Amino acid sequence: GENVEQHPSTLSVQEGDSAVIKCTYSDSASNYFPWYKQELGKRPQLIIDIRSNVGEKKDQRIAVTLNKTAKHFSLHITETQPEDSAVYFCAASNYGQNFVFGPGTRLSVLP
Amino acid sequence: DAGVTQSPTHLIKTRGQHVTLRCSPISGHKSVSWYQQVLGQGPQFIFQYYEKEERGRGNFPDRFSARQFPNYSSELNVNALLLGDSALYLCASSSRTGANYGYTFGSGTRLTVV
């Protein structure tokens, strides 16, 4: 079955700097890759997603890149703000079937 | 427009007991999935239902079961509770129409088994 790895497990950046979180997946049949943000005690919220027919997608300060050949995808957050502090999860799935989530990255944006 | 609603929000049960968790999807969403999130880990897939049929099952014991009703709401049942079942149980709904695969999660039910 699918296996998703995520690095780093924790990440601290200064406010205004960029943050990059990387994930790898094992199943070449996976074709949908969402990213979720989970603040303490709250639900995971979808922040951006990408499908396998696209190499990059951007939404304001957030971007995701996908390398199908290498089976890895990354989340890029530019101009980080304190409210970006949260745990971020990547996931992989095949046409929206059961998502396999990575273990999460705890991002801390320091003022 | 209401999001995904789950009940109860918190629950404390004793080992060996049974629990039923409930989920109402976003209006118009026909797919409901259940995930278990242990503290400090990513959500783990338990079940997916679409149009009242089970479409996927994760690596969980038979003590876990679920069903989806004609109004697309869903129940997750766990029998013979173990301490290790303590977790946040998340329900997610999606429309699964066209190319829209994204889940919307509910706020979860935090289950504590003592």
Side-chain angles (χ1 to χ4, degrees), chain A residues 19-90:
Chain A
V20 180
I21 302 171
K22 299 181 179 181
C23 288
T24 61
Y25 62 99
S26 60
D27 188 351
S28 57
S30 291
N31 57 13
Y32 175 68
F33 308 92
W35 286 88
Y36 283 83
K37 173 183 179 183
Q38 188 174 30
E39 297 177 63
L40 189 63
K42 296 190 176 181
R43 73 186 77 185
Q45 290 193 301
L46 178 68
I47 56 172
I48 196 167
D49 57 12
I50 192 167
R51 289 167 179 76
S52 58
N53 60 346
V54 176
E56 183 173 357
K57 183 177 178 181
K58 189 173 182 180
D59 182 5
Q60 299 183 348
R61 297 187 295 108
I62 295 173
V64 58
T65 59
L66 171 65
N67 183 327
K68 284 192 298 183
T69 303
K71 297 198 190 73
H72 67 69
F73 55 113
S74 300
L75 177 71
H76 304 253
I77 306 174
T78 59
E79 301 172 21
T80 53
Q81 301 167 3
E83 52 265 39
D84 294 329
S85 296
V87 179
Y88 291 80
F89 293 99
C90 62

Side-chain angles (χ1 to χ4, degrees), chain B residues 72-94:
Chain B
Y72 304 112
S73 66
S74 178
E75 280 183 356
L76 175 70
N77 294 283
V78 186
N79 292 324
L81 285 167
L82 303 174
L83 295 179
D85 295 331
S86 295
L88 179 67
Y89 288 85
L90 293 162
C91 173
S93 76
S94 66

Side-chain angles (χ1 to χ4, degrees), chain B:
Chain B
D1 193 16
V4 179
T5 57
Q6 291 187 244
S7 62
T9 55
H10 296 82
L11 203 52
I12 299 175
K13 289 286 190 178
T14 303
R15 275 180 300 174
Q17 285 188 314
H18 163 91
V19 67
T20 297
L21 310 181
R22 295 179 174 83
C23 171
S24 293
I26 290 173
S27 177
H29 283 193
K30 298 180 180 180
S31 176
V32 171
S33 298
W34 288 94
Y35 285 79
Q36 180 195 66
Q37 186 176 26
V38 173
L39 195 63
Q41 298 181 19
Q44 299 290 316
F45 172 71
I46 310 175
F47 287 107
Q48 183 179 50
Y49 279 79
Y50 180 68
E51 289 276 18
K52 294 163 286 181
E53 290 188 5
E54 182 183 300
R55 293 301 182 95
R57 174 186 288 250
N59 188 24
F60 279 80
D62 291 344
R63 299 184 295 108
F64 289 76
S65 64
R67 54 180 175 168
Q68 186 176 33
F69 299 100
N71 66 354
Y72 304 112
S73 66
S74 178
E75 280 183 356
L76 175 70
N77 294 283
V78 186
N79 292 324
L81 285 167
L82 303 174
L83 295 179
D85 295 331
S86 295
L88 179 67
Y89 288 85
L90 293 162
C91 173
S93 76
S94 66
S95 64
R96 289 196 69 197
T97 56
N100 180 11
Y101 304 139
Y103 283 170
T104 300
F105 281 95
S107 296
T109 294
R110 184 159 298 283
L111 173 65
T112 302
V113 182
V114 296

